[in-house]
Amino acid sequence: MPACEPPRFEGLVGWRIIADPSALDAAPWPAGSHVVRISPDDAFVIGAAEPGVPGDEHAIVTPELGFAGAAVSAEQVADIALHHIEWQMPTGPCVAQGQIAGVPSKLVLHADGSALLLVACAARHELEDRLG
Amino acid sequence: MNEFVETLLDLPWQVGDPKPAYDVVIIGAGGHGLATAYYLATRHGITNVCVLDSNFIGSGNSGRNTTIIRSNYGIPESVAFYQHSLEMYQRLEDETGCWIMHSQKGQIWLAHSVSTARTEQTRALMNQAMGAKTDYIGPKEIKDLCPQIDLSGGGRYPVHGASYHHEGATARHDRVVWAYAQGALRAGVHVHQHTPVTGLLMDGDRVTGVQTSKGNISAGTVISAVGGNVTTVANWAGVRLPIRTHALQAFVTNAHAQEFAPIVSSNDLVFYVSQTPRGQMLIGAEYDRFASYRQATSFAYLQACSKKSITMFPFLSKLRIMRSWTGICDVSTDFSPIMGDTGVPGFMISTGWGTWGFKAIPAGGEQLAQLVATGSAPLIEPFGLDRFAKEAAMADPSSAGTR
Amino acid sequence: MLWVECPNCGSRPFEEYRYGNVFPVTPDTITDADARNVDYAWMQDNIAGVTLERWFHESGCRRWFTAKRDTTSDEFLPLDD
Amino acid sequence: MSRVVYDGTPIEYEPGDSLAIAALRAGQHPARGGTLCLAGDCGNCSAIVDGTPWVRTCQTEARPGAMVQRHPNGSHPSPGGPEHHTQVTVRHRSADHVVIGNGDSGAAAAAALRSEGHDVLVLDEADGDEVVGVFDGPSIIVRRNDGIEHFHVHHITLATGAAEVHPVCPGNLLAGIFTPKAAAKVQAAGLDLGNVVTVGAELKAFHGEGRVSEVELVDGSRVSCDNVIVNLGSAPRDVLARMAPLVPVQIVGPAAEAHALPAAPQEGVLCPCGKITVEDLDGVWNKGFHDLELVKRSSLCGTGTCQGAVCMPHLRSFVADRSGVEPKPFTARPAARQVSMAEAAAGYHIDTFRRTPLHGEHTKLGATLDKFGGWFRPWNYGDAVSEYWAVREGVSLGDVSTLGKMMVSGPDVVEALERLYPNHVHDIKVGRSRYVINLNERGHVLDDGMICREGDTRFLLTFTSGGASTAEMWVRDWVETWGLKVHVLDRTVSHGAINVTGPLAGELLRRAGVSDDDRPKFLQHRHIDVAGIPCHVMRLSFTGEASFELHHQIDQSVELWQALMELGAPLGIKPHGLQALFGLRLEKGHVIVGQDTELDSTPRRINMDWAVKLEKDAFVGRDALIRTASLPDERRLFGFTMDGPAPLEGSVIRVNGDVVGHVTSSWDSPMYGHAVLMGWQKRLPHADVVEIDGREARVSAVPFYDKEGARARM
């Protein structure tokens, strides 16, 4: 069974931006922010004041408080992948999305193998139970 | 000597190839095709009938289903039709003299939430009104009927109640096919295995026969009782169907002592379990959600079904999976069967059986035969292909196919 | 297990997706407007072979994509074939 | 030495012994007789191990204290009691090349691959890796004693060898019969087989009581013995390849080689799993079951625990002999090596149930929570009727966080919404909202909700809780199909929503700092602070009373809820659950999609033609509605009232004794003291008086309550 500590989640504060993919590609993200690209037209920006998206006047830019996140070590990532992920884990840095222990989740993988594990707050208790 | 071998009936095959012409040619020697032939011959004296199959008799869905007979549907038309079929099954051994291993077990359909309890209650009330014996029962009665159940559902799926369908039964699927085959053969019907139909003979917009690997056969009426590939057959006649083909899987464990009496289904979890006469635990669930003609078994299915089953029945967790199988089923757009005329003269159809239609074999065959012989079959009239254009779909909230 | 390749997220078990059916094609032989509508609303091509179909990656990016699949083998084929 | 307990008796074993070898070491057949292959193929060594029946003891390593019980004589083992299952560990691994089987051919294949620089994983039963099946992906499922492993692989080589043919002759269910490889294993374990005789095709019968004491040969001679080794050749063990014909595998070694079938069986048990004899096969053959599959299905030969591993060569030989044509093997299906259902289930989770941000608040308030549309929601807080009265006469809170919520924006958004919805959208003014239904292409009601206009090119859409996920798919699919430029953002799980409802709802908002001027009027919506928390306030009504839905960021849900409960205390505030809500909305005649509607409910059938503007150019479902408008249509949803207790939901509705439909919603109205209902009549002519539950019910215009809708606007 998992040898590692279960992840500790906390609510994340960020911005959700839906815009033309090209506008998101070109957007000057605020310094220190962390951008989770969910799909070509969808970005979750953590750790920044309200970001602007030049180039798309119709962009949706709105606070995003729907995710809980947990910083997980490379060892924890490997452990979660071994026991809870049916699909093959890519190597970072990148965003890996899909079911983890049956719960739709996201892993923002860093180059060193550690990651930020994201889950909808509404399903956080389920993921905690299953990884814990 | 194995106890399940000894009373087998015989199959008095005709020798040689099909004749060049028959009154009725039925494509598909499964339960529905053979039952239709049997009732044409025995009820209506129409014996100049040929049943063709690309493989052996019962090689399609008739040999792959989970053998459950029930009439606990949700709309009056369906309850009436399936109750008639259920009662015909109860008499089938007497009528044919064949032991089909019919066994009345009762079916419990579990509800794990307020909303599914409403569904099961609705099912029970509609069943009662239409002559099917179904009651809504509480957890204690469920536990009495099935002591192996974990009423807490693993702490996650607590049992609110269930509809209990008293006359729910099982019969051995192959033996039902053979009973009809034997009866039809004895009555003079021709059954030709390994004779694929490759096309239809048309005269203008009328179907006049079939093309087969053994030559053309003309027919007064051609009936498709094909499972899985019905769209191909219908396309030959220019008939468009509201049918999509899906894979449906099931599995059995090894054989165990007879200790599990009823058939148990779950509305929320979508699985069902029963014990076969040979002692295997037989477990199934819904069809794969994507369209497919491939009869592939997936481990994901075994995984999901096992998890659902052991959640409600912890004793199953130690039992070992012996064999899984997969068939392809025809799911209609409103999840109810399609029987009767197609709008193309000379061409009738029996399809849309969703999760395979085993329970409907006697009534489906009887009614289709009656339609051929007399031009009228009230029980299946609501299930005609023309219902879609008439905006009279038979959408049944209690049909297994709707979930 | 059917593995489905999401263009955004990669290969995932089909349980992560919702199947969105094929693009409906009503045959030209049906000319009457009402009959065409009945066909569009209810009938299925149900092709045994290569189909163009829609999948929605529900557990991932939550976006639709179009895929080409052979329903007799469940093999996914390159879209530009 | 360590011991296992065998049929209640402790027996000693040597390190490395399988349970089968341990039994043999103690002088016992591991089951009750039959040829032993000790290769995991047949079922002849199966026993109940630690409560699990049908375990191949030859594949199970002996470990201290293992409890082994032979299956009962002449009957099947009990499936076991209601004990709880153990958790099985699952591991997801990947490998480039996998070679299954580490015999000569497997080892050679692995060595060759390695010499080409490939990473190779070799799986062999001797190392505890039992391959359950090869599946799409390709993937391989492996059973181990410490759990189950799901492998992603790129290349598969099958080197599973050949299975030794079991003898079919009288006496073949006795103990003391071994295949050559099994005998070698036994001897390698240091066991003495005593006076052992080796026979081949000259074998005619075994004789003995319980175990073999004499072998009879075809020439009539008899040889006495303690044990017999039967060498009848082999058959390829290619079951993994036959199970997954479309998964690319390379087969090497004996598994790939042609093997001659054994001589046609003459007498004896052919299928040890089902005790099916050659005589049985002749019986079904003579009745006309001539296809290999029909012979199998009618005799049940090949359908036992070994799935034909023992009988298939003989069965094929039988059919070849009788028909003159050698049949192909019958279909192989997983599992190639059996797994328990707990092992199969490992790693799977059935559902993910979501919780609203107010889950803890509901628990604290003693709510009965139940699952609705994938969410836990309060059914009631103990007394639905008092919750009802709080809404009708005072003020109440409802947690509607589960509602589908979607932001849409873009240059084409008005065009897209006009095409999506059957109602007009372009004329909704900024700050106003409109109730809408959505239809599928058949013109059937999929869902309902609100459209709130936030700006010229920006809207917020709501959907039902159960319909939210499908709604997002629906919107995205159509927008893409039409190629319109619309941005879509689902907010369902990111925004909480609290419905403040009741005649005192406005008063509560006033106390929460919302001035009368700021308070939105009916069907208006506005962004304002409530109790200091930024909210998007939508004024509408599902309960029939003035209602304000306060949409907000979920991190502030608890704070908002608690503030409103506190401010509302002097007003007698109570939260209400779904049970009360269902009654409240029923009195208003509001349909719940999925409960009152059916799969094919057109707007006409549920009396909602008013929500459809057929004069619009195009919208989803329009063509179908125009086509079906002139068709006779018997199916109609009605409101009913009746005296006495409300009948059960689902009760049938009869006219002149005939079933014409059923009750979809039913409620003992505290307001009226009689039952209010909705239900279907699906036969013409529609009656004004029907029979429900053996009592008379009358069709009633809906809404039952506040027909003018004045209270919602209060």
Side-chain angles (χ1 to χ4, degrees), chain B residues 43-387:
Chain B
R43 298 289 193 274
H44 305 285
I46 300 174
T47 58
N48 188 24
V49 176
C50 183
V51 190
L52 301 169
D53 202 285
S54 62
N55 205 333
F56 59 94
I57 56 169
S59 53
N61 298 334
S62 295
R64 292 170 206 277
N65 60 78
T66 49
T67 78
I68 294 168
I69 299 162
R70 61 182 182 90
S71 63
N72 50 351
Y73 280 72
I75 55 176
E77 296 86 350
S78 291
V79 182
F81 172 78
Y82 285 105
Q83 179 65 21
H84 180 60
S85 200
L86 177 148
E87 290 169 11
M88 289 179 75
Y89 259 124
Q90 291 171 339
R91 299 188 300 267
L92 193 60
E93 289 182 353
D94 284 345
E95 174 171 340
T96 61
C98 305
W99 183 39
I100 60 166
M101 300 189 189
H102 184 272
S103 168
Q104 187 168 311
K105 291 165 160 276
Q107 185 188 25
I108 297 167
W109 211 312
L110 300 169
H112 307 270
S113 64
V114 168
S115 48
T116 50
R118 181 196 294 116
T119 306
E120 293 312 316
Q121 179 181 288
T122 301
R123 184 201 303 274
L125 292 166
M126 180 56 78
N127 283 194
Q128 288 162 15
M130 295 306 298
K133 298 182 182 69
T134 307
D135 289 307
Y136 188 79
I137 60 175
K140 186 185 173 304
E141 292 158 286
I142 295 166
K143 189 78 180 171
D144 288 346
L145 288 163
C146 187
Q148 296 93 338
I149 196 168
D150 172 7
L151 286 175
S152 84
R156 214 173 145 83
Y157 299 93
V159 174
H160 282 230
S163 65
Y164 181 54
H165 184 46
H166 299 264
E167 292 183 292
T170 59
R172 178 148 174 86
H173 50 7
D174 288 330
R175 288 189 174 226
V176 172
V177 172
W178 303 334
Y180 280 116
Q182 184 210 36
L185 286 166
R186 280 189 181 168
V189 168
H190 288 190
V191 179
H192 287 278
Q193 306 183 103
H194 305 291
T195 310
V197 171
T198 54
L200 294 176
L201 302 174
M202 304 286 293
D203 180 4
D205 55 7
R206 183 184 174 85
V207 170
T208 58
V210 295
Q211 303 167 320
T212 81
S213 61
K214 294 175 183 167
N216 291 351
I217 304 172
S218 60
T221 302
V222 173
I223 300 174
S224 167
V226 169
N229 292 296
V230 62
T231 298
T232 304
V233 176
N235 283 350
W236 289 333
V239 173
R240 295 270 290 168
L241 293 177
I243 293 283
R244 207 166 71 189
T245 300
H246 292 256
L248 176 60
Q249 312 184 39
F251 66 92
V252 286
T253 68
N254 291 300
H256 300 91
Q258 292 288 345
E259 293 176 14
F260 193 85
I263 305 159
V264 183
S265 309
S266 162
N267 190 312
D268 298 63
L269 293 179
V270 194
F271 77 97
Y272 53 89
V273 55
S274 65
Q275 189 169 19
T276 71
R278 290 198 288 152
Q280 304 155 340
M281 302 304 303
L282 195 169
I283 292 155
E286 57 192 341
Y287 51 81
D288 294 349
R289 304 319 284 185
F290 56 94
S292 180
Y293 283 86
R294 181 182 170 208
Q295 295 183 352
T297 310
S298 72
F299 191 75
Y301 186 88
L302 298 180
Q303 205 181 5
C305 258
S306 294
K307 180 68 178 188
K308 292 170 178 180
S309 314
I310 66 179
T311 298
M312 298 313 301
F313 298 103
F315 82 97
L316 289 171
S317 64
K318 287 195 163 183
L319 304 194
R320 292 184 141 203
I321 295 168
M322 184 178 79
R323 182 184 181 85
S324 53
W325 65 89
T326 307
I328 50 176
C329 53
D330 309 306
V331 181
S332 72
T333 328
D334 66 353
F335 307 104
S336 281
I338 299 166
M339 289 175 273
D341 292 320
T342 57
V344 172
F347 183 53
M348 289 187 186
I349 204 155
S350 172
T351 185
W353 291 107
T355 49
W356 289 337
F358 173 73
K359 63 184 85 65
I361 287 172
E366 179 209 51
Q367 293 288 305
L368 208 52
Q370 185 180 326
L371 186 64
V372 172
T374 70
S376 162
L379 267 185
I380 61 171
E381 204 182 306
F383 297 100
L385 179 58
D386 59 352
R387 68 181 185 262

Side-chain angles (χ1 to χ4, degrees), chain D residues 447-500:
Chain D
D447 205 2
D448 64 350
M450 303 294 296
I451 295 181
C452 304
R453 191 162 202 166
E454 298 254 48
D456 282 349
T457 55
R458 192 169 295 246
F459 294 79
L460 188 116
L461 316 175
T462 68
F463 302 92
T464 63
S465 302
S469 179
T470 305
E472 185 191 356
M473 293 168 55
W474 180 76
V475 171
R476 289 190 186 282
D477 196 16
W478 282 115
V479 164
E480 281 185 35
T481 301
W482 294 323
L484 295 176
K485 251 183 105 48
V486 179
H487 294 313
V488 176
L489 177 59
D490 189 277
R491 296 280 76 194
T492 303
V493 297
S494 295
H495 288 179
I498 296 170
N499 187 26
V500 182

